Structure formats: C-alpha cells, structure tokens
Amino acid sequence: MKILYIVVMILFLLPFGALIMESLRPDTWLYVYTDVKTYRAIATTIIVAVATLALNIAIGTPAASVLARREFRGKRLVELIILLPLIIPSFVTSMGIYFTFIKLGLSETMLGVILIHTVLTLPYYIRSTIVGYGTLGEGYEMMGRIMGANGLKRFFYITLPHIMPAVIAGGSLVIIVSFAQYLNTLIIGGGRIITVPILMFPYISSGDMGAGAVYSFSYITINFLLIFLLERSVKGIYNKKMSGEKIW
C-alpha cells in the first residue's frame, strides 16, 4: 500500500513538477505581470466566480431546501431539469443559451457570462446542499419558531450551522467549475470578456509553455484563495453563532 501511495503521489505531482520547471525563468514572470491584460483577466475571473457563487447561494439554497424537504407532483422532473446541464454537453447548452442571449442583449457581456456560469454550476451546488438539508430535521426550525425566532435568525442560527459543510463543498465546486470555463466563456463572452483561462490557452496551444505555466500558477493560486476565503467566511458566521454574537 505504501508503494501504491508513493506511485499515486508521483503521478499526481508530476504535472506540477513540469509546471514548476517551465516557470523558473524570471523574464517570463516579468513579461506576464507587466501586461495590463493579466490584471484585467484576474479581476474579471474573480468577479465572475464571486457573482456566480452569490447567485448559486441565492437560488440554490432555497431550491435545495424545497427539494430535500417537500414532496410534490413533478418533483422528479424538476430534479431532472436541474441536472440537465450535467447530462447535456456544455457546448450544446451554451450554444442554445447564446442564441437566446443575443435576442436579450446579454451576449458579449459580463452578465451573460455570469449567467451561463450559474447555469452550469447550479446542479453541483444544489446537489451538495440537498445532502446538507438531509441531516437537518424540521423539528429544529419548528422549535426556533416557537421560541420567537424569525426566518432570518432561524436560518443563520439553526439551519446554516447544520448545512455549512454542504455549503462549503458546493461553493468550492462552484468556484472550481467557474474558473475552469473556457469554451463557454468564449462563446457567450464573444472574446470580449477575458478571463485567465482565455488568456492562458493561446500561450499553451502555441507552445509558449513558460507564459502558460505562469498563468497556470496564477490560476491555481487565485482558485485556492477564493475557496479559502469562502470557507473562512462561512465558518466565521458559524463561530459568531456559537459565541452568541449578533450576525446582522
């Protein structure tokens, strides 16, 4: 088993070793980070990912609550519709939405890119949050209602601590999937909304592995940073709840 672990670790770390070797030249870092397009792409990527996460939380949390707790006619159909972006190839989904966005004036806009990212990431968040709601009995919230807590307090002091691991897991998937979108961002954004993957891909495809490696490092660092901040912020709410501080 130890030999197996070592082999798996080597196979996992090997691409990162090649990435490090390709990015050791200081002139490559200087070339990438003296270009204003790099900073614009990083800012755009973060804005799109954070906005996508916010929409997932706003839409996916109540949707997961209903799907986890309620039985109604057509529930299986609703669940299937939510999962369609995972079943249908994302290229097909993006092309269908693209023609609709043209009519609505959302193509080649930041809002259009955020919406397509939300469509593609919402199934991950909802499925993760449904699992979290499955660990929470309605009796807990009923007790909070009897004791006079309003809906907002019941959510932050009773519901959120129970579903927090699911929210963190689902939110992390949202950020990872949003960051990884290249083709869909290119289709909906029309080449005008430049994110880090769009800026990185031409260098890698043309054989300029040095610049591609630098952009890859930037991509990985920002991704981990956003996931870390997500976990800290959600846990911060939980810790305030445990210490009795007011959240709002």
Side-chain angles (χ1 to χ4, degrees), residues 82-103:
I82 291 174
L83 291 175
L84 280 179
L86 301 181
I87 300 171
I88 301 174
S90 59
F91 174 76
V92 177
T93 304
S94 297
M95 289 304 299
I97 294 177
Y98 177 66
F99 292 119
T100 303
F101 279 7
I102 290 176
K103 296 178 181 179

Side-chain angles (χ1 to χ4, degrees), residues 32-238:
V32 169
Y33 279 96
T34 53
D35 190 348
V36 69
K37 291 188 296 184
T38 300
Y39 299 98
R40 290 176 180 172
I42 291 174
T44 301
T45 305
I46 293 175
I47 291 171
V48 170
V50 172
T52 300
L53 177 61
L55 285 177
N56 269 269
I57 293 174
I59 299 171
T61 305
S65 175
V66 172
L67 291 172
R69 297 173 168 184
R70 301 286 185 268
E71 291 295 333
F72 54 89
R73 184 177 298 177
K75 178 179 177 180
R76 299 304 175 192
L77 178 60
V78 172
E79 291 178 341
L80 177 61
I81 292 173
I82 291 174
L83 291 175
L84 280 179
L86 301 181
I87 300 171
I88 301 174
S90 59
F91 174 76
V92 177
T93 304
S94 297
M95 289 304 299
I97 294 177
Y98 177 66
F99 292 119
T100 303
F101 279 7
I102 290 176
K103 296 178 181 179
L104 297 176
L106 292 173
S107 61
E108 301 180 0
T109 65
M110 179 83 75
L111 179 58
V113 172
I114 292 170
L115 290 177
I116 189 62
H117 282 212
T118 302
V119 170
L120 297 173
T121 56
L122 198 57
Y124 296 99
Y125 182 83
I126 290 179
R127 294 306 304 175
S128 297
T129 313
I130 285 176
V131 175
Y133 273 107
T135 65
L136 175 64
E138 292 190 25
Y140 291 99
E141 292 186 349
M142 181 67 69
M143 184 60 68
R145 187 182 297 111
I146 293 173
M147 295 180 69
N150 58 30
L152 193 63
K153 287 185 176 180
R154 289 199 304 271
F155 176 77
F156 280 101
Y157 285 87
I158 299 174
T159 305
L160 183 59
H162 281 83
I163 67 171
M164 183 181 66
V167 170
I168 293 175
S172 300
L173 283 172
V174 169
I175 292 174
I176 291 170
V177 174
S178 176
F179 261 68
Q181 297 301 315
Y182 167 75
L183 183 60
N184 301 296
T185 303
L186 184 63
I187 292 173
I188 303 299
R192 294 188 177 183
I193 308 301
I194 306 299
T195 58
V196 173
I198 289 180
L199 202 59
M200 174 177 62
F201 184 78
Y203 290 100
I204 295 177
S205 62
S206 65
D208 189 354
M209 297 304 296
V214 173
Y215 279 118
S216 297
F217 266 115
S218 304
Y219 172 94
I220 294 169
T221 302
I222 299 169
N223 207 332
F224 274 113
L225 179 62
L226 285 180
I227 294 173
F228 173 76
L229 292 175
L230 169 66
E231 184 175 351
R232 287 294 300 271
S233 61
V234 177
K235 285 187 175 180
I237 295 174
Y238 175 74

